[in-house]
Each structure stands twice: as structure tokens, then as C-alpha cells.
Amino acid sequence: MPKLIAPLTDIQLRNAKAAEKSCKLADGGGFYVEVMPDGSKFWRMKVRQANGKKSRLTFGNYPDVTLAAGARTERSKIKQQASGIEPAQNKRIEKLSTKTSAVNTFVWTLEQRN
């Protein structure tokens, strides 16, 4: 049975200090904040791929991505996805499609030709 963990609060995140090694502050469900030795804080989530391997997703750093509005909504989206879809691969595909659509902005019409 998984251990019940109290959700993180904004005060806990602000007060988290850097140590010699990186440390994790758990929010539950494989979701945590990793505090690096230089003091930066990253939102991360442990996921299991379809082939059984473990991987982790990064959602951004703490002050830029807020606790409730940013990070927890991203976690909810990942958990609601179908179990057969690997979250990291899906994220890469979305990023590539937005890049491709930004590059392909030229529209050719007959009106422009004349």
C-alpha cells in the first residue's frame, strides 16, 4: 500500500534550502520538487513507461511554475492520459508539432499569385 504524503505548501517550497546533494520534497503520486545544490528547484514526476522502465518528467522550475496553477494541473493531465501512452514521448510530439506549425506559416492562395 502506498504511503500517504501530505501535499506540499508554498511556504515549504520557499523555505527549502540547498544542501550538498540534491534532495526531494514529495507531493504524492510520484510528484516532487527536487532542490539542487545551487538552490534551484525543479518540478519532477516519476512515471513508468509501457515497457516497464522508469523515467521522470520535468515541468519547469519552482518560481516560474506555481504549485497549484501550474505543476498540479500538469500532473493531473499526465495521470488522466491513457495508460498505453508514454508521457515523455507524448510531450516530445506536442513540442515538435508546435515548432513545425510555427515554421510553416506561408499560405499560398490564388489571390496572392495574381
Side-chain angles (χ1 to χ4, degrees):
M1 180 155 195
K3 198 187 314 183
L4 293 176
I5 297 174
L8 288 173
T9 63
D10 197 42
I11 294 171
Q12 288 174 322
L13 292 171
R14 277 188 268 142
N15 293 337
K17 302 292 182 208
E20 287 183 26
K21 293 183 178 181
S22 64
C23 63
K24 298 176 184 178
L25 302 173
D27 192 52
F31 190 62
Y32 61 94
V33 172
E34 187 170 7
V35 182
M36 305 305 262
D38 65 353
S40 57
K41 301 166 188 166
F42 292 98
W43 290 107
R44 299 192 192 268
M45 183 175 177
K46 292 186 283 187
V47 293
R48 188 173 295 271
Q49 298 174 5
N51 60 5
K53 290 185 177 181
K54 295 179 185 177
S55 63
R56 66 181 183 178
L57 298 174
T58 303
F59 298 110
N61 58 359
Y62 163 63
D64 296 337
V65 179
T66 61
L67 176 65
R72 286 190 179 144
T73 56
E74 285 294 320
R75 177 186 63 178
S76 321
K77 281 190 225 175
I78 296 292
K79 293 230 178 215
Q80 288 175 357
Q81 285 179 351
S83 60
I85 299 172
E86 182 185 337
Q89 186 177 5
N90 191 30
K91 195 172 180 182
R92 276 187 235 116
I93 290 170
E94 286 178 5
K95 188 183 264 188
L96 183 62
S97 67
T98 55
K99 263 187 192 177
T100 308
S101 64
V103 170
N104 298 332
T105 58
F106 182 73
V107 178
W108 179 262
T109 62
L110 291 174
E111 296 166 4
Q112 291 176 336
R113 194 172 126 195
N114 295 332

